[in-house]
Amino acid sequence: HTDHDFPHKNMLIYLTDAGGSTFVEGEEFAPEEDDVIIFRGEHYHRPPSAGRRIIIIATFLNELTSHWINEPYTYSIKPN
């Protein structure tokens, strides 16, 4: 699905390790707690295998994000 019918990007912050992959533009992302994914366009989620997936979702307007890269990317904010 696509969240909005206007140009935008999404940011998901995963607050739990419940599982349930997120798919963006044919790429699978298996999130862990504290992971962040930023992307544009169509995406979908598999349900978690156990427990509840708790995430924070933010939408960025295209005019504010035109300098971002076009491909989805991820990083973790976990402390070492």
Side-chain angles (χ1 to χ4, degrees):
H1 71 273
T2 301
D3 288 345
H4 307 287
D5 62 355
F6 52 83
H8 69 283
K9 289 195 178 186
N10 292 325
M11 178 174 69
L12 303 181
I13 304 171
Y14 296 85
L15 303 178
T16 60
D17 273 331
S21 294
T22 299
F23 295 83
V24 178
E25 298 177 4
E27 302 255 346
E28 181 176 5
F29 177 66
E32 296 181 11
E33 185 174 343
D34 297 328
D35 281 352
V36 176
I37 183 171
I38 299 172
F39 59 91
R40 73 170 83 214
E42 192 169 324
H43 63 285
Y44 64 94
H45 311 275
R46 280 201 179 127
S49 54
R52 300 176 95 185
R53 175 180 40 227
I54 300 174
I55 61 174
I56 296 173
I57 304 169
T59 296
F60 298 90
L61 299 178
N62 197 41
E63 294 81 7
L64 301 176
T65 59
S66 60
H67 64 282
W68 287 7
I69 61 173
N70 292 326
E71 295 80 31
Y73 63 100
T74 61
Y75 65 96
S76 176
I77 55 174
K78 291 181 185 180
N80 291 332

